[in-house]
Amino acid sequence: MKYLILLVFLVLSGCQTTSYSHVQVASAYPPGICEEIGQVIGNASTHENAKEQAVNDMRFQAARRKGNYIRLVALSAHGTAARGVAYKCP
């Protein structure tokens, strides 16, 4: 049981090691020639700073897929969810 708890801790802590500070978010298409990676969806866990949480969740997902640009497509009415398209740009 002790090893199972340790394994779960290691797996969960490994999920948050991806840095996403380099991922840009904008409503415009990316500049230049970029490779489209696919759709990313971000969700907020609380209503406090919901838009920021949702966008950061998208940025994290894009960074895990080696993306560095997100074209923001939609935000929910309360900002608790965001949808965009991730790209890998040179």
Side-chain angles (χ1 to χ4, degrees), residues 24 29-37 66-69 86-90:
Q24 287 184 286
Y29 282 88
I33 299 173
C34 300
E35 174 188 352
E36 183 177 317
I37 296 173
K66 308 296 185 214
N68 57 3
Y69 189 92
Y87 296 87
K88 183 178 182 180
C89 301

Side-chain angles (χ1 to χ4, degrees), residues 44-53:
S45 57
T46 65
H47 286 288
E48 187 175 328
N49 299 322
K51 179 181 174 184
E52 183 179 345
Q53 287 182 44

Side-chain angles (χ1 to χ4, degrees), residues 44-89:
S45 57
T46 65
H47 286 288
E48 187 175 328
N49 299 322
K51 179 181 174 184
E52 183 179 345
Q53 287 182 44
V55 170
N56 281 339
D57 189 25
M58 279 195 324
R59 292 172 67 205
F60 176 75
Q61 290 179 34
R64 286 184 60 200
R65 295 164 67 180
K66 308 296 185 214
N68 57 3
Y69 189 92
I70 296 173
R71 180 175 55 88
L72 183 62
V73 175
L75 276 173
S76 67
H78 297 289
T80 57
R83 184 169 52 92
V85 179
Y87 296 87
K88 183 178 182 180
C89 301

Side-chain angles (χ1 to χ4, degrees), residues 18-29:
T18 303
S19 172
Y20 56 81
S21 61
H22 66 284
V23 179
Q24 287 184 286
V25 180
S27 58
Y29 282 88

